Amino acid sequence: MKAPRRSAGLLLFHHTGDGLEVLLGHMGGPFWERRDAGAWTVPKGEYEPDEPAWDAAHREFREELGLEPPDGEAVPLGEVRQANGKIVTAWAIEADLDPATVVPGTFQMEWPKGSGRLKEFPELSRVEWFGLDRARAVIVKAQAEFLDRLEEHVG
């Protein structure tokens, strides 16, 4: 039996006058372009079994956002299994980040499908801060568990 794919990421959070906010990324590429609900994610990426999840989370933060991960106490949020079978591990870190400073990494895929032409797309088409209620409405369904765990931790 093939081992499930694994991803790791960092969920930034901060406190505002309106309460707790989290930083989510909208998945890039044509499939997600016109979607909102279920199209937002913790900035994360896949890693191989020989790479520690913590190291992968930092590497993917750099690749997906084009910025160094912030220093600070990391709150382990554990793992969730997404509908596609992928296991995602995340940590939360309290930090401020201006979404305008993000320089997303890119990936290539054949587009339009069957055309034989490769086109480049951003890993994350945009990054935004969300209050927890709005974040729950747009995040990949299984990852909403990370929001619940964060809320329990920081109250």
Side-chain angles (χ1 to χ4, degrees), residues 107-135:
F107 68 96
Q108 284 191 332
M109 66 180 280
E110 182 184 28
W111 191 256
K113 193 172 172 85
S115 68
R117 293 192 305 257
L118 286 180
K119 189 167 179 191
E120 197 167 89
F121 296 97
E123 296 267 359
L124 298 174
S125 60
R126 60 192 184 278
V127 175
E128 294 179 23
W129 288 100
F130 289 92
L132 291 182
D133 288 343
R134 177 76 178 124

